[in-house]
C-alpha cells in the first residue's frame, strides 16, 4: 500500500521523470526509427478527417512542400505516431484509474474556454512553423545533436517568460 | 473586542485557532491546470497580510507539488489535505 502510494499517488520528482523519458525515447528511437513526437499526430488526425470529408489536402502548400512524412504502408489514421498518441492517452487513463483520480474536468467559465481555444490554435499553428512542440522540436531534437533544438529551446523560454508576464498581469 | 478581532470580522472571515483570530482567503482553482494555480496564489499572497491564511481548492495533482515547493521556497508555512480522491485543499500561511 505504501509502495503503491509512493509510486502511483505522489507525483514523481522532476529528475526521475526526466531520466525515464530519456530512456523511453532511446527505446522508441531504437524500435520505430524515429524519436518522440506529439503534435504531428494531431496533424495526421486533422489531415485524415479532412481527407474523409473529401477535401484534397495534398494540394496544400504545407503538404506539397514538406510532404506527410508517413512511412510506406502508413495512413493518416494508422501510423506509429497515432498509435503512440492513443497509447499515451490510455496510459494516462490507467495511471489515473489506479489511484481513483479519474474525473472529467469541467469547463470553469467562458473566459477559460476562450483562452484555451485561442491558445490551442496558436500552439497548433506554431508547431507547424517550428516542426514540432517542446517534445519533437526540443526534447527529441537536442539529444539528436540538432541545432534547431537549441534555438527552439531559447525562444521557448523567452516565449514562456513573456507569456507568464501577460498571463499574470492581464488575464488572471 | 480587540482590534485584531474587529479586523477579522470586517474582512468577512473569522477562524479562531488557539484564541488567535486568523483571516482566511479562499482561492478556487478547480478545473485549472499549471501554471494557473501557482500564479493565482502568487498574486493573492501579494495582497495579503502576514499571518493570514490562503486556502486553495484544486483538482490538479501537479499543484500539490509545485505550489507546495514554491511556497516553501518563499518561506511561507504550507500544508495540504486530500478532500476526496483527486481533490485537494492547500493551506498557505503568509510568513513574510
Amino acid at each position: 500500500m505504501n509502495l503503491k502510494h509512493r509510486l502511483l499517488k505522489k507525483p514523481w520528482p522532476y529528475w526521475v521523470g526526466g531520466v525515464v523519458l530519456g530512456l523511453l525515447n532511446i527505446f522508441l528511437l531504437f524500435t520505430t526509427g524515429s524519436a518522440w513526437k506529439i503534435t504531428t499526430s494531431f496533424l495526421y488526425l486533422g489531415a485524415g478527417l479532412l481527407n474523409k470529408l473529401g477535401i484534397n489536402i495534398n494540394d496544400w502548400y504545407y503538404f506539397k512542400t514538406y510532404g506527410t512524412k508517413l512511412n510506406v504502408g502508413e495512413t493518416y489514421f494508422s501510423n506509429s505516431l497515432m498509435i503512440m498518441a492513443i497509447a499515451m492517452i490510455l496510459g494516462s487513463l490507467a495511471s489515473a484509474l489506479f489511484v481513483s483520480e479519474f474525473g472529467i474536468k469541467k469547463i470553469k467559465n467562458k473566459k477559460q474556454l476562450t483562452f484555451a481555444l485561442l491558445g490551442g490554435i496558436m500552439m497548433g499553428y506554431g508547431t507547424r512553423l517550428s516542426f514540432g512542440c517542446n517534445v519533437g522540436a526540443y526534447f527529441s531534437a537536442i539529444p539528436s545533436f540538432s541545432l534547431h533544438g537549441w534555438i527552439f529551446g531559447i525562444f521557448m523560454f523567452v516565449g514562456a517568460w513573456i507569456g507568464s508576464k501577460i498571463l499574470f498581469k492581464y488575464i488572471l | 473586542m480587540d482590534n485584531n478581532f474587529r479586523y477579522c470580522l470586517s474582512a468577512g472571515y473569522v477562524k479562531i485557532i488557539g484564541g488567535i483570530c486568523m483571516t482566511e482567503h479562499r482561492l478556487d482553482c478547480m478545473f485549472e491546470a499549471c501554471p494557473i494555480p501557482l500564479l493565482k496564489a502568487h498574486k493573492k499572497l501579494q495582497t495579503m497580510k502576514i499571518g493570514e491564511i490562503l486556502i486553495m481548492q484544486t483538482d490538479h495533482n501537479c499543484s500539490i507539488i509545485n505550489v507546495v515547493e514554491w511556497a516553501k521556497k518563499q518561506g511561507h508555512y504550507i500544508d495540504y489535505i486530500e478532500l476526496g480522491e483527486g481533490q485537494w485543499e492547500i493551506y498557505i500561511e503568509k510568513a513574510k
Side-chain angles (χ1 to χ4, degrees):
Chain A
M1 185 60 208
N2 213 355
L3 185 73
K4 186 194 162 198
H5 182 88
R6 282 185 66 178
L7 268 180
L8 298 172
K9 185 82 186 167
K10 286 192 99 168
W12 295 357
Y14 295 130
W15 68 269
V16 175
V19 170
V20 172
L21 283 177
L23 291 175
L24 285 176
N25 206 6
I26 294 168
F27 180 70
L28 196 70
L29 181 63
F30 183 70
T31 48
T32 67
S34 153
W36 191 23
K37 281 188 268 183
I38 290 183
T39 42
T40 307
S41 57
F42 285 105
L43 174 77
Y44 291 155
L45 181 66
L49 287 174
L50 287 179
N51 240 3
K52 280 262 183 287
L53 291 173
I55 296 163
N56 189 13
I57 52 143
N58 295 319
D59 283 349
W60 289 9
Y61 177 80
Y62 179 87
F63 291 101
K64 263 193 184 158
T65 316
Y66 304 108
T68 61
K69 297 202 175 67
L70 285 167
N71 292 323
V72 182
E74 287 184 338
T75 67
Y76 285 130
F77 288 123
S78 165
N79 55 66
S80 62
L81 283 182
M82 219 48 174
I83 292 166
M84 206 159 50
I86 294 163
M88 263 189 285
I89 294 167
L90 290 178
S92 317
L93 175 68
S95 76
L97 286 173
F98 273 138
V99 288
S100 34
E101 277 182 20
F102 177 77
I104 310 254
K105 284 223 171 174
K106 285 181 202 128
I107 295 166
K108 194 173 182 114
N109 47 39
K110 273 199 185 135
K111 189 178 162 188
Q112 190 194 41
L113 179 72
T114 315
F115 279 107
L117 280 177
L118 211 69
I121 290 166
M122 274 161 41
M123 267 161 72
Y125 191 74
T127 64
R128 288 312 96 200
L129 294 178
S130 60
F131 302 107
C133 59
N134 54 350
V135 175
Y138 174 67
F139 173 76
S140 292
I142 286 180
S144 312
F145 299 108
S146 170
L147 183 63
H148 93 275
W150 291 98
I151 294 167
F152 184 96
I154 291 164
F155 284 96
M156 181 174 69
F157 281 105
V158 172
W161 187 81
I162 296 170
S164 58
K165 290 278 169 209
I166 293 171
L167 185 66
F168 193 74
K169 257 199 140 154
Y170 303 107
I171 301 173
L172 276 185
Chain B
M1 229 194 291
D2 62 29
N3 275 339
N4 188 23
F5 194 71
R6 202 164 285 138
Y7 167 73
C8 287
L9 279 183
S10 67
Y13 302 102
V14 173
K15 196 163 208 178
I16 296 175
I17 300 169
I20 307 159
C21 152
M22 294 176 143
T23 309
E24 54 174 66
H25 300 263
R26 283 192 169 266
L27 205 50
D28 175 16
C29 297
M30 291 295 284
F31 320 124
E32 288 175 335
C34 294
I36 307 289
L38 196 152
L39 290 175
K40 269 188 159 178
H42 181 38
K43 204 166 191 177
K44 190 82 192 173
L45 280 164
Q46 285 181 342
T47 68
M48 286 166 50
K49 291 199 176 82
I50 290 168
E52 292 183 348
I53 311 271
L54 178 65
I55 302 176
M56 297 169 69
Q57 249 190 328
T58 178
D59 64 344
H60 190 55
N61 70 347
C62 296
S63 294
I64 58 166
I65 284 269
N66 69 11
V67 173
V68 171
E69 273 180 7
W70 170 81
K72 273 185 190 159
K73 230 182 247 174
Q74 300 290 311
H76 302 305
Y77 303 109
I78 184 154
D79 206 357
Y80 66 88
I81 55 161
E82 189 166 14
L83 292 178
E85 300 284 5
Q87 198 179 317
W88 296 268
E89 230 171 40
I90 304 173
Y91 307 93
I92 306 173
E93 185 188 331
K94 187 170 174 164
K96 55 179 186 183

